Amino acid sequence: MSDHIHARRNRAEKAWQTEHVVLIGSGSPIPVPGGMDQIHHFEPHPDHYWLTGHRTAGAVLAYDAHEGWRDFTPDLTEDDRVWEGLTERAGEPISGLAPWLAARKDRPKAVLGVPGGPLKGITTDRTADEVFAERLLHARRAKDSIEIELMRRACNATARGFARAREFAAAGVTERAIEIEMQAECFRHGGEKMGYHNIVGSGTNAAVLHFSPSARGVQENEFVLIDAGCQVEGYTADVTRTFVVGKPSTQQTELHGIVKETLLFGNSQCVPGKEWRELHLECAVRMTQGLVSLGILRGEPQGLVERDAHALFFPHGLGHLVGLGVRDASGYLPGRARSDRFGLAFLRMDLPLESGYITTVEPGLYFIEPLLRDPKRRERFAGDVNWDEVDRWIGVGGVRLEDNILVTDAGPVNLTESISLDI
Ligand code: GLY
Ligand code: MN
Ligand code: MN
């Protein structure tokens, strides 16, 4: 076993401090319905992968404080050898799991990762499962050197894709064609797959937060928003850039400038101890100040944010932890609850940053018709929003800028700094 897997297992043991037998399922392959003889791309549960370093379906990692760890994986079948060309599998045969469990039949157990499959029928106390899962999640928030290196590779491949997309984007080129060029370039530079569905939106499509690239051709002087990240050995970047094809208008330049200034401020604040909720609100106040200066919002920025007026234009959180998946180990510290406020309900995490965390910072300002044309909202925010001015902006679309920041004791390290922030 490699040193880093050994160190991760020590971190998990320390976090659990338990007499429970802990079982972590990697998950099972999901067949494509209809007898296609195909399975969906398999991604192991991140807890299992992080503690084993292999990406095997139907596997179980087992822990007993008195004995240590056992890594059970399915036996290699003739089909595996014939159809997939496999010659060996990590771990030990899963046929050993049943007797191993039988020898511990009176011990309390916790099931983490993906339940079912080889773990079907094991009785646990759901509260204990959740407590151990939460502790493991927290234990793996800080990235080790192997993870940081994989993130650097994912970010570098992503940077190549974004550079190519910017070079290729032109009036008449479709969102889909931009996606294809970007993705191919990512793959040429080490990206193994994309970490999530690519987002490419032009014009008003830039205001659709998770827009799927379409056959729409970009028009001269429009925004193009691209949100994409390559994955390398399970680790993904999550990057957004917004730029104009052709010559930016004054409105576009002003909007982009506010978001860019907020991104750079947000990046600079990613230091150990910084409370994420606080940083989200600080960035909301800065962007609100910008919207006041544009005549879109009226009043004092702090008060506007307290009344959630900013969320009409910034309806998502400032970011989330990223790495082993696009929402890696984000969440709320135990004891912290999700707010039901319009301006805070969507925060994906509420925790203090620590050295080794990798977080996205992703401020955005958008003119989203379903939010801004809603009569109830127009009434609720009648005193805070200059709705006539909003109507003059609604076709502009939106801007999001997103970097991936490694938090260190020596200050923030921007893993995506090489990707141009130019409009
Ligand atoms: N790509 C989705 C997000 O930025 O969180
Ligand atoms: Mn993103
Ligand atoms: Mn993101």
Side-chain angles (χ1 to χ4, degrees):
M1 193 201 324
S2 65
D3 289 349
H4 68 279
I5 295 294
H6 185 69
R8 289 177 194 173
R9 290 183 181 182
N10 285 344
R11 278 161 70 179
E13 280 184 60
K14 235 170 102 185
W16 289 331
Q17 306 245 2
T18 184
E19 284 294 313
H20 277 62
V21 168
V22 184
L23 302 156
I24 307 174
S26 71
S28 302
I30 300 174
V32 176
M36 304 294 168
D37 238 3
Q38 294 283 309
I39 55 159
H40 288 288
H41 172 82
F42 175 72
E43 289 284 348
H45 192 286
D47 290 346
H48 185 275
Y49 177 50
W50 190 75
L51 286 165
T52 62
H54 62 76
R55 304 168 66 71
T56 310
V60 173
L61 182 68
Y63 171 72
D64 174 344
H66 301 289
E67 194 216 348
W69 299 81
R70 299 285 288 269
D71 184 5
F72 295 107
T73 56
D75 300 357
L76 209 55
T77 62
E78 188 175 87
D79 276 0
D80 290 331
R81 295 178 197 278
V82 171
W83 290 86
E84 314 299 336
L86 299 181
T87 54
E88 58 178 358
R89 186 98 83 199
E92 60 182 296
I94 202 157
S95 46
L97 177 62
W100 190 87
L101 285 171
R104 291 161 182 78
K105 68 175 170 13
D106 297 327
R107 301 268 303 280
K109 298 185 182 64
V111 168
L112 274 57
V114 183
L119 295 173
K120 200 165 149 225
I122 293 177
T123 314
T124 63
D125 163 1
R126 290 305 300 162
T127 311
D129 294 351
E130 280 166 24
V131 168
F132 291 123
E134 173 71 47
R135 289 184 193 165
L136 177 58
L137 194 74
H138 186 64
R140 65 177 187 78
R141 281 191 170 121
K143 300 278 172 284
D144 61 30
S145 59
I146 299 280
E147 296 181 288
I148 292 169
E149 179 53 28
L150 290 172
M151 280 301 284
R152 283 190 191 283
R153 284 168 52 193
C155 288
N156 291 343
T158 304
R160 302 300 287 258
F162 271 80
R164 176 65 190 142
R166 190 179 274 269
E167 181 183 77
F168 184 74
V173 172
T174 68
E175 295 162 347
R176 174 73 179 139
I178 295 172
E179 177 191 35
I180 291 167
E181 283 297 307
M182 172 193 68
Q183 186 167 299
E185 191 72 356
C186 284
F187 292 172
R188 279 184 208 112
H189 290 91
E192 291 162 4
K193 65 186 280 289
M194 303 308 284
Y196 52 94
H197 297 300
N198 298 318
I199 297 167
V200 181
S202 59
T204 52
N205 293 342
V208 181
L209 299 176
H210 284 172
F211 190 77
S212 228
S214 76
R216 181 183 188 276
V218 180
Q219 293 175 28
E220 190 75 14
N221 306 332
E222 278 187 339
F223 272 137
V224 177
L225 181 153
I226 304 177
D227 182 343
C230 292
Q231 185 170 308
V232 176
E233 293 184 28
Y235 287 78
T236 187
D238 177 8
V239 177
T240 310
R241 293 293 185 261
T242 312
F243 55 90
V244 170
V245 163
K247 189 172 155 21
S249 67
T250 306
Q251 281 184 320
Q252 287 167 329
T253 305
E254 285 173 336
L255 197 69
H256 192 277
I258 294 167
V259 178
K260 181 171 163 180
E261 190 275 335
T262 305
L263 173 78
L264 298 177
F265 168 77
N267 288 351
S268 74
Q269 301 301 300
C270 291
V271 294
K274 183 71 185 181
E275 283 287 348
W276 190 254
R277 189 176 191 273
E278 197 178 291
L279 183 57
H280 169 83
L281 289 170
E282 286 166 7
C283 287
V285 169
R286 289 177 103 87
M287 290 199 286
T288 299
Q289 173 70 63
L291 293 174
V292 169
S293 67
L294 295 179
I296 292 169
L297 286 174
R298 290 191 272 246
E300 189 268 317
Q302 190 75 39
L304 285 163
V305 169
E306 280 162 18
R307 292 194 293 285
D308 294 328
H310 68 288
L312 291 164
F313 308 94
F314 175 39
H316 59 74
L318 182 67
H320 48 88
L321 300 183
V322 65
L324 191 40
V326 67
R327 308 259 182 259
D328 189 17
S330 272
Y332 284 49
L333 272 199
R336 294 189 185 182
R338 204 176 265 269
S339 162
D340 54 11
R341 259 179 63 183
F342 172 48
L344 286 175
F346 38 66
L347 274 195
R348 294 192 193 279
M349 62 176 174
D350 183 2
L351 41 74
L353 296 177
E354 289 184 27
S355 186
Y357 286 15
I358 299 180
T359 183
T360 71
V361 178
E362 49 181 305
L365 287 174
Y366 318 83
F367 294 88
I368 301 175
E369 294 212 31
L371 288 181
L372 300 179
R373 296 220 188 272
D374 171 29
K376 285 212 184 71
R377 290 198 174 84
R378 288 218 169 199
E379 193 186 317
R380 173 176 164 189
F381 293 104
D384 294 327
V385 178
N386 179 348
W387 290 109
D388 289 340
E389 189 58 25
V390 168
D391 289 338
R392 284 190 276 278
W393 282 81
I394 225 149
V396 172
V399 175
R400 176 165 66 258
L401 298 170
E402 177 174 25
D403 275 329
N404 297 175
I405 307 295
L406 169 64
V407 179
T408 78
D409 290 329
V413 177
N414 187 348
L415 302 177
T416 48
E417 193 170 26
S418 69
I419 307 177
S420 171
L421 282 169
D422 289 352
I423 190 171

